[in-house]
């Protein structure tokens, strides 16, 4: 087992310091121990994970045996499957308690922040960041994250990034009516909105099981295809593929809710 907390090596981000005030940043409440329970059960299916794994294989296989990093790996639904396929995959997450459900045998986990990576320049074959895990922070910090990825990737290394498409998702969030989902032992209450000045989608609600409940909220900075291309170029990355989903559906700026981006580190 490799499970380590490295010393930070980056320079350009503003990682919030913990103090006595609870939930200084929304992620501290959202990614509670209940997060693993919710997203390993009612809100995700094995079919989704399998489709994503097949996509990742198509992008990264030729880069092996260089390490591939799952940014925001949480309880490790992708890490576990890729490890079973003998990939040199590393799981990274800011919240240590989310890593406790990874199998103990042969795991390689980093308890660290995506804005301040502990990897040497040019040492990583690939990064993937899925499930709307990019955009948690102010724009400057999100750009610092891209800088860290670009710096750590080796020439020819690749990044897979799954993010909302702002023009479409902003309208969906504006029009979203408060809703409730009920299964045999789980209730989800949720509402969404969009703050145009901050280009940010917001949400709030409650996760509820028979023996526990948790209120939650989030803020996600959204981007357009053009903004992402511009940001990649600044960090020596080139967008080489763009899809609407992991099935390879052609992306449409005006209709696609999400972008599945494959970017490559230029020599």
């Amino acid at each position: 087992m490799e499970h380590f907390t490295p010393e930070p090596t980056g320079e350009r981000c503003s990682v919030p310091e913990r103090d006595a005030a609870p939930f200084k940043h929304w992620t501290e409440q959202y990614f509670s121990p209940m997060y693993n329970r919710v997203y390993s059960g009612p809100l995700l299916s094995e079919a989704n994970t399998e489709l994503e794994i097949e996509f990742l294989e198509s992008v990264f296989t030729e880069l092996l045996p260089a390490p591939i990093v799952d940014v925001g790996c949480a309880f490790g639904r992708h890490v576990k499957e890729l490890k079973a396929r003998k990939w040199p995959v590393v799981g990274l997450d800011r919240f240590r308690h989310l890593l406790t459900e990874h199998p103990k045998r042969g795991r390689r986990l980093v308890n660290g922040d995506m804005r301040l990576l502990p990897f040497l320049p040019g040492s990583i074959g690939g990064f993937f960041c899925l499930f709307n895990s990019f955009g948690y922070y102010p724009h400057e910090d999100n750009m610092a994250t891209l800088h860290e990825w670009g710096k750590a990737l080796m020439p020819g290394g690749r990044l897979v990034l799954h993010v909302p498409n702002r023009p479409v998702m902003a309208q969906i969030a504006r029009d979203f009516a408060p809703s409730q989902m009920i299964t045999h032992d789980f209730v989800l209450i949720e509402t969404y909105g969009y703050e145009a000045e901050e280009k940010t989608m917001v949400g709030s609600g409650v996760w509820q099981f028979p023996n526990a409940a948790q209120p939650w909220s989030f803020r996600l900075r959204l981007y357009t295809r053009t903004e992402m291309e511009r940001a990649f170029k600044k960090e020596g990355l080139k967008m080489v593929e763009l899809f609407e989903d992991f099935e390879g559906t052609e992306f449409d700026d005006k209709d696609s809710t999400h972008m599945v981006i494959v970017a490559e580190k230029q020599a």
Side-chain angles (χ1 to χ4, degrees), residues 54-74:
E54 291 176 1
F55 185 90
L56 295 175
E57 284 192 305
S58 73
V59 172
F60 291 129
T61 296
E62 65 186 47
L63 296 167
L64 302 178
I68 309 298
V69 180
D70 181 353
V71 181
C73 67

Side-chain angles (χ1 to χ4, degrees), residues 51 55 162 242-251 256 258-260:
L51 184 63
F55 185 90
H162 177 216
L242 175 62
F243 304 106
E244 174 183 304
D245 53 34
F246 293 98
E247 295 179 312
T249 305
E250 184 178 355
F251 176 80
S256 299
H258 282 75
M259 297 181 276
V260 178

Side-chain angles (χ1 to χ4, degrees), residues 51-158:
L51 184 63
E52 291 158 8
I53 291 293
E54 291 176 1
F55 185 90
L56 295 175
E57 284 192 305
S58 73
V59 172
F60 291 129
T61 296
E62 65 186 47
L63 296 167
L64 302 178
I68 309 298
V69 180
D70 181 353
V71 181
C73 67
F75 54 89
R77 64 189 180 97
H78 299 102
V79 169
K80 293 171 187 175
E81 181 59 34
L82 292 172
K83 286 295 292 182
R85 302 183 189 204
K86 309 301 182 185
W87 277 42
V89 62
V90 178
L92 180 143
D93 205 284
R94 181 182 167 199
F95 297 102
R96 192 179 188 91
H97 59 266
L98 296 184
L99 302 174
T100 59
E101 294 187 21
H102 288 247
K104 290 182 169 54
R105 184 178 178 85
R107 63 182 181 178
R108 302 177 68 191
L109 303 176
V110 178
N111 177 210
D113 195 298
M114 69 175 72
R115 299 164 292 174
L116 197 62
L117 296 178
F119 307 118
L120 293 174
S123 65
I124 303 299
F127 288 102
F128 62 95
C129 185
L130 311 184
F131 205 52
N132 301 334
S133 297
F134 178 81
Y136 291 167
Y137 304 107
H139 175 70
E140 293 76 13
D141 279 18
N142 297 331
M143 294 302 100
T145 297
L146 286 183
H147 173 75
E148 291 287 287
W149 291 342
K151 181 173 66 173
L153 281 173
M154 65 187 194
R158 289 185 168 185

Side-chain angles (χ1 to χ4, degrees), residues 152-219:
L153 281 173
M154 65 187 194
R158 289 185 168 185
L159 163 68
V160 174
L161 186 58
H162 177 216
V163 291
N165 175 32
R166 189 173 77 222
V168 177
M169 192 58 73
Q171 190 59 52
I172 291 174
R174 288 190 192 99
D175 296 341
F176 192 89
S179 69
Q180 181 172 286
M181 181 187 85
I182 302 175
T183 68
H184 69 283
D185 66 348
F186 175 72
V187 176
L188 167 65
I189 301 170
E190 58 186 346
T191 185
Y192 298 96
Y194 181 71
E195 297 178 358
E197 185 173 347
E198 300 295 327
K199 300 176 182 177
T200 296
M201 180 173 138
V202 297
S204 62
V206 176
W207 297 322
Q208 185 170 334
F209 291 93
N211 61 347
Q214 178 188 309
W216 52 265
S217 64
F218 76 84
R219 300 180 59 84

Side-chain angles (χ1 to χ4, degrees), residues 12 127 129 134 139 142-143 145-151 153 157-163 223-242 259-266:
R12 291 180 44 186
F127 288 102
C129 185
F134 178 81
H139 175 70
N142 297 331
M143 294 302 100
T145 297
L146 286 183
H147 173 75
E148 291 287 287
W149 291 342
K151 181 173 66 173
L153 281 173
R158 289 185 168 185
L159 163 68
V160 174
L161 186 58
H162 177 216
V163 291
Y223 293 91
T224 66
R225 182 246 293 268
T226 301
E227 287 171 339
M228 295 306 301
E229 284 180 317
R230 188 182 304 122
F232 288 154
K233 184 176 181 180
K234 185 177 180 180
E235 303 303 339
L237 299 166
K238 181 180 179 181
M239 188 183 295
V240 294
E241 291 184 301
L242 175 62
M259 297 181 276
V260 178
I261 302 169
V262 180
E264 189 169 288
K265 178 67 177 292
Q266 301 300 286

